[in-house]
Amino acid sequence: MTRVSAILTSYNVDAFIATAMQSVIDCEFEDLELILVDDGSTDATRQVADRMGAIAPPHRVQFIPIYFSRNTPGGVATAANAGLDRATGDIVTFVDGDDWVIPDAFKRAVELHSRRMPDVTVCGCKEYWNDTGEYTRYPEARTWDDLKDAHSVEKKRELVLQLAPFPWRKIYSRGFLERTHIRFPIGPFFYEDNPFHWETSLKAESFEFFRQDTHVHRMARAGQTVSNMGFKPLKIFDHAKIIKKTLESCGKHEEYAHRYLDWLLEHILWCARY
């Protein structure tokens, strides 16, 4: 039986955490570690999570709460790493506390990963706009189409680096993350998704792909990180240095220099909007 470790990270999301947790529970995995790492919430997130954990089917769900005494600097890096350190599953996945998974699709994606056990499986995802109730898709259709003809690991790697870098749209073999000692960078900055995405993509030796949407990312909610950034987008340059070092340590700096520069330009332009 394959054990799935689902790491949910949360901070002041009491209105949404039940939806996130229930969506994973509804996947009906036979052996699920539901690891909730709360980064010092001051609202009722923990009380809601405890109630959800108490009613989860005990024969197939082990609820593991990890509650920080105070909020940590930066994004979700420290919380995500705490979840990784606690996880014992064969498969690891992430879910933001204000997002949710699509149970049927996500279960099938995990089953695909379990059959083939690549280092990383990349899934489709979409956005939900909390202020309007609309769903939108990322402009990734062409990249997914190109993946059909990508037969080598290096070609797949190049295309993965063109997809949105979210850790929660991927499924990981825990053995791969432990073997390569990959963790999120910790510091007073945001966008920790980016260096984690680059390091896992560069070090993975096998990929699988599940194009159907498995995750929904909630946007434009009150209190969301990207709506309260100030000058924090400038911290992207700290991650640019981390990614550059990873490229150099993997011996892939020259090979992926063009993709690195494209990524940096894309994010500079994105940051200019905030």
Side-chain angles (χ1 to χ4, degrees):
M1 184 186 301
T2 301
R3 170 170 287 188
V4 178
S5 295
I7 301 171
L8 280 71
T9 54
S10 63
Y11 177 66
N12 286 349
V13 288
D14 58 2
F16 310 113
I17 190 63
T19 296
M21 293 177 65
Q22 190 64 52
S23 72
V24 180
I25 294 169
D26 285 348
C27 293
E28 298 187 348
F29 297 123
E30 294 182 9
D31 187 0
L32 170 66
E33 279 187 337
L34 189 62
I35 304 172
L36 177 71
V37 189
D38 183 75
D39 199 6
S41 287
T42 56
D43 65 0
T45 296
R46 298 181 180 188
Q47 290 84 349
V48 175
D50 285 340
R51 289 198 295 271
M52 293 297 299
I55 63 174
H59 63 285
R60 60 180 181 83
V61 180
Q62 181 184 10
F63 176 55
I64 303 171
I66 301 173
Y67 293 160
F68 291 176
S69 61
R70 65 190 66 175
N71 185 240
T72 58
V76 302
T78 302
N81 287 345
L84 282 172
D85 291 342
R86 177 61 180 81
T88 65
D90 307 284
I91 292 172
V92 171
T93 188
F94 298 95
V95 183
D96 285 356
D98 56 346
D99 295 345
W100 69 92
V101 302
I102 302 171
D104 179 65
F106 186 53
K107 184 177 183 180
R108 286 188 284 112
V110 169
E111 289 171 347
L112 170 68
H113 187 100
S114 181
R115 289 195 303 271
R116 302 182 181 178
M117 287 306 290
D119 290 335
V120 179
T121 294
V122 185
C123 303
C125 58
K126 57 186 175 182
E127 297 169 318
Y128 171 77
W129 292 87
N130 208 58
D131 54 348
T132 65
E134 294 180 298
Y135 289 90
T136 54
R137 295 183 177 278
Y138 301 97
E140 298 180 328
R142 182 172 179 179
T143 303
W144 281 102
D145 289 341
D146 289 344
L147 280 164
K148 292 184 293 187
D149 298 319
H151 303 296
S152 70
V153 172
E154 288 305 320
K155 182 59 178 177
K156 292 177 182 177
R157 190 191 321 279
E158 181 181 347
L159 292 170
V160 169
L161 287 170
Q162 296 177 35
L163 296 170
F166 315 121
W168 42 259
R169 57 110 44 103
K170 303 184 185 75
I171 302 166
Y172 306 89
S173 291
R174 189 172 66 86
F176 159 65
L177 296 176
E178 297 307 310
R179 183 174 69 250
T180 53
H181 308 290
I182 296 177
R183 290 295 187 271
F184 291 82
I186 296 175
F189 39 62
F190 291 79
Y191 310 118
E192 64 284 335
D193 293 2
N194 286 275
F196 189 85
H197 168 68
W198 276 84
E199 188 170 9
T200 53
S201 298
L202 290 170
K203 292 184 177 180
E205 297 176 358
S206 54
F207 298 94
E208 285 293 336
F209 301 93
F210 189 87
R211 185 168 184 169
Q212 186 175 347
D213 294 335
T214 59
H215 289 67
V216 183
H217 184 42
R218 191 186 301 271
M219 299 293 292
R221 70 166 177 83
Q224 194 166 35
T225 301
V226 294
S227 63
N228 296 279
M229 295 300 283
F231 290 102
K232 292 172 184 174
L234 296 176
K235 293 293 185 178
I236 194 65
F237 293 106
D238 293 331
H239 286 321
K241 295 176 183 177
I242 295 171
I243 293 169
K244 186 172 183 290
K245 288 181 180 179
T246 300
L247 283 164
E248 292 170 346
S249 68
C250 292
K252 297 181 181 294
H253 183 257
E254 291 186 7
E255 184 178 0
Y256 289 98
H258 66 290
R259 183 60 215 147
Y260 170 76
L261 292 174
D262 286 346
W263 166 83
L264 185 56
L265 178 59
E266 289 169 5
H267 280 76
I268 290 172
L269 293 174
W270 186 88
C271 290
R273 301 200 301 268
Y274 289 88

